[in-house]
Amino acid sequence: MILLKYIVLFIVHQTVVSIKYEPNWDSLDTRPLPQWYDKAKLGIFIHFGVFSVPSFDHVPSWFWKYWHDKSDMHSVEFMKKNYPPRFTYQDFAAEFTAEFFDAEEWAEIFNASGAKYAVLTTKHCDGFTLWPSKTSFNWNSNSTGPKRDIVGEFSAALRKKSSLKVGLYHCLQEWFNPLYLKDKESNYTGQEYIKFKVQPALYELINNYKPEVLWSDLCELKGPAEYYKSQEFLAWLYNESPVKDTVVTNDRWCATCFCKHGGYFTCADKFNPGVVQKHKFEGGLTIDRDAWAYRRNVQLSNFLSAHDIISNLVSIVSCGGNMILDVGPTKEGKITPIFEERLRQLGQWLRCNGEGIYSTVPWSHQKDTTTRYVWYTMKKTDEKMVYAVVLSWPQNNTLTLGAPITSTNTIVTMLGYPEKFQWTTTAGAQGLNITIPNISWNKLPCQWAWTFKLTNIQN
């Protein structure tokens, strides 16, 4: 019997190992998402690059585009007022100093946030790479500006100082790259830009830094997957690369790929559907509500509160997604105190409430049917456990939940609080009223939101 068990396990192992993904969406889309990603629930996004120098206006990472095309007159007037007439975007690179960039400090802050992975912008739409790419001569962080391999330091620090998975962002397009513009003019029938720039850079990132997340992006919703050689690259990534068993990718591999093809879907910036999705997704959120990168002209009112961030996290996870929370370091490489404070506040909340977030799955209900400031998650082990995350403290010390169907064995507790709660059924067969004792605010296990754990309910 034992021998038979090992034979079966061997056959299963060989079957999994022998799966070969073909360079087409029908095959690539069958690849299972590595389990670590669904369990993680929270990632950190870091927008950092030459655009961190001007760090101006509502979309700092698009500064060059807006200034060059005169599509945003705020940027045009800003440059006219503050810089000499012949100043170019490339001149900003020398001011991208990163003298305060400490990758280990970043790793400690991100780890304290409760995140499980962090994604760094290795190349945005301006083409500047944060690693010494052979395809970006003299327009990378090792040749100019910091004179450092930012990606290398970031990856090493995450693996040394935290438990976070390494994620790398890479934009497939570059606004003003002559090779890209030539291919674009030919209606994406040319291949020079892809052959000499995109494909070599992607292979460099994977082979040199071995990320667990590869976050692809487009600056313009243009170009088919056949132009970018996306399917060929993903087949190599899943079949032969050094991270073939652990890497996850998103859906931004061509103009029509969004929400259709890829490991997990991002669909649109700041995607938060509010209902369960059939496919694993990731919703983005910026701590500066209006910008992905650091802005020197940001106002205090633009920053999300800890409650705002937690509310978004809970709603996204309830619907089956992960949330990726964005921070923008300064050109010196510093995560400013308000960003750090929000990250540490989120981590403080997760240390108490993480049981109801990590490794959960969507329940039959997402938002409660009676009390609209309650979102649900679920775990199913030997006992079904449903978590009701309450985003506003109940009035009159009674929490009414309309969705759960109780049993005689139902137990109600609050994460971080030592005592069980009394409850009664509502007038119908479904729902319950939870009686909350008078708890002083300084005795509550956390701030901002509270998680009630319901064990042994029937639905």
Side-chain angles (χ1 to χ4, degrees), residues 99-214:
E99 68 264 36
F100 297 141
F101 169 60
D102 183 339
E104 293 189 1
E105 180 182 73
W106 281 20
E108 188 278 323
I109 294 171
F110 300 153
N111 199 54
S113 76
K116 301 301 181 184
Y117 58 99
V119 179
L120 173 67
T121 52
T122 68
K123 179 177 80 78
H124 211 273
C125 309
D126 58 7
F128 187 88
T129 68
L130 296 189
W131 84 98
S133 175
K134 295 177 181 177
T135 69
S136 192
F137 175 74
N138 207 37
W139 188 233
N140 66 73
S141 65
N142 205 56
S143 298
T144 187
K147 303 292 181 66
R148 298 164 68 177
D149 179 359
I150 301 293
V151 176
E153 293 182 41
F154 171 81
S155 303
L158 253 62
R159 290 178 172 130
K160 177 183 177 183
K161 291 291 184 179
S162 77
S163 58
L164 278 75
K165 306 285 189 183
V166 173
L168 303 180
Y169 165 106
H170 176 271
C171 189
L172 295 174
Q173 301 165 331
E174 296 175 24
W175 291 311
F176 307 118
N177 187 301
L179 294 179
Y180 172 68
L181 293 176
K182 182 179 178 182
D183 287 353
K184 183 179 173 182
E185 288 174 4
S186 71
N187 198 27
Y188 299 98
T189 58
Q191 285 286 312
E192 287 189 75
Y193 172 69
I194 301 303
K195 180 179 179 181
F196 295 109
K197 194 70 163 65
V198 172
Q199 288 290 313
L202 284 172
Y203 285 102
E204 278 183 2
L205 285 174
I206 297 299
N207 287 319
N208 293 350
Y209 304 107
K210 300 175 177 58
E212 285 87 9
V213 180
L214 180 60

Side-chain angles (χ1 to χ4, degrees), residues 426-441:
T426 55
Q430 190 165 346
L432 74 160
N433 296 314
I434 302 170
T435 302
I436 304 171
N438 288 319
I439 308 172
S440 60
W441 282 104

